Amino acid sequence: MTGVLAVAGGTASGKSTLAEALSLHHPETIALVHIDDFYVPAEDRLRGVWTVSANGYPVLDWNHPGSIDETAVSDAIDAARLRTGVRVVVVEGLFALTLRSVAARADWRVYVDTPDDVRLARKILRKIEVQRQDPRLSLMNYLSTGRQRHAEYVAPSRAAADIVVDGAAPETEMLAAVMPLIGPALAEPARSESPPLAASAV
């Protein structure tokens, strides 16, 4: 039976790094579902939770679980579990242990815990390098909503985790912490596509 590993943690905690490392080590037997892929469309003003950015523009609140299309995430998990050869579906995202339908599907729960200052530094660097965003805007948004949303919706989910992983540790250490959870499932024999043929009668 295909199991589900939910990996939660704050922004830039290292949860995506962990999930992708697991997939790279077991590409045939692990499927990934990134919750970030399931935010409601930014042009759909009737769904999601909206806030005002530090520069005064209305924006989808990326730090609120209500901005995720939870049904779409659940459908993606269920579809991944049916893929041939998949033993474990790794679901990673801020709200992997917050969204009820996702947490209910999880056989194992991991929280990647990283100091707030490290997460913030990683996030700012990413915003500068990838999005070319003014770090001042990132910091203002963090102070106005990001910090509060983390405390309200993400940090409490740590209590639901089976294990807590140090997101500031090397990737190899994070992998070593998680493998005892999912290793037995990965080692299970492959599912048969068709029932074995009966031995011919003599």
Side-chain angles (χ1 to χ4, degrees):
M1 181 176 177
T2 302
V4 175
L5 170 68
V7 181
T11 299
S13 61
K15 56 193 179 298
S16 296
T17 298
L18 172 59
E20 287 165 10
L22 287 166
S23 178
L24 285 172
H25 280 72
H26 302 275
E28 304 300 324
T29 51
I30 287 182
L32 288 183
V33 174
H34 299 286
I35 291 179
D36 278 1
D37 293 339
F38 298 94
Y39 280 95
V40 302
E43 64 273 12
D44 186 350
R45 297 299 181 94
L46 299 180
R47 293 193 297 158
V49 175
W50 290 77
T51 187
V52 177
S53 175
N55 58 5
Y57 292 99
V59 293
L60 186 69
D61 191 341
W62 305 98
N63 297 304
H64 195 292
S67 295
I68 298 290
D69 185 337
E70 189 169 349
T71 299
V73 177
S74 301
D75 289 347
I77 296 170
D78 293 342
R81 294 177 75 174
L82 296 176
R83 283 170 46 188
T84 301
V86 171
R87 298 286 168 276
V88 175
V89 179
V90 178
V91 186
E92 70 86 17
L94 293 174
F95 312 117
L97 297 178
T98 304
L99 297 171
R100 291 184 180 180
S101 63
V102 176
R105 285 169 167 75
D107 298 283
W108 313 282
R109 300 166 178 83
V110 171
Y111 186 90
V112 182
D113 196 15
T114 306
D116 290 346
D117 63 329
V118 174
R119 292 192 305 102
L120 182 58
R122 287 176 176 175
K123 178 180 178 180
I124 296 299
L125 287 172
R126 187 167 63 196
K127 291 286 187 180
I128 293 171
E129 294 168 358
V130 178
Q131 300 179 12
R132 306 298 182 191
Q133 187 179 92
D134 180 356
R136 180 175 180 275
L137 179 61
S138 296
L139 289 167
M140 290 175 66
N141 283 330
Y142 172 78
L143 291 173
S144 63
T145 58
R147 182 172 178 272
Q148 176 186 344
R149 294 288 193 248
H150 175 80
E152 188 172 358
Y153 296 110
V154 181
S157 69
R158 185 183 191 276
D162 298 313
I163 63 169
V164 175
V165 174
D166 180 4
E171 183 181 295
T172 52
E173 290 185 18
M174 291 196 291
L175 284 171
V178 172
M179 284 308 298
L181 283 181
I182 65 174
L186 293 174
E188 287 180 2
R191 290 190 299 266
S192 240
E193 294 302 312
S194 57
L197 295 174
S200 300
V202 178

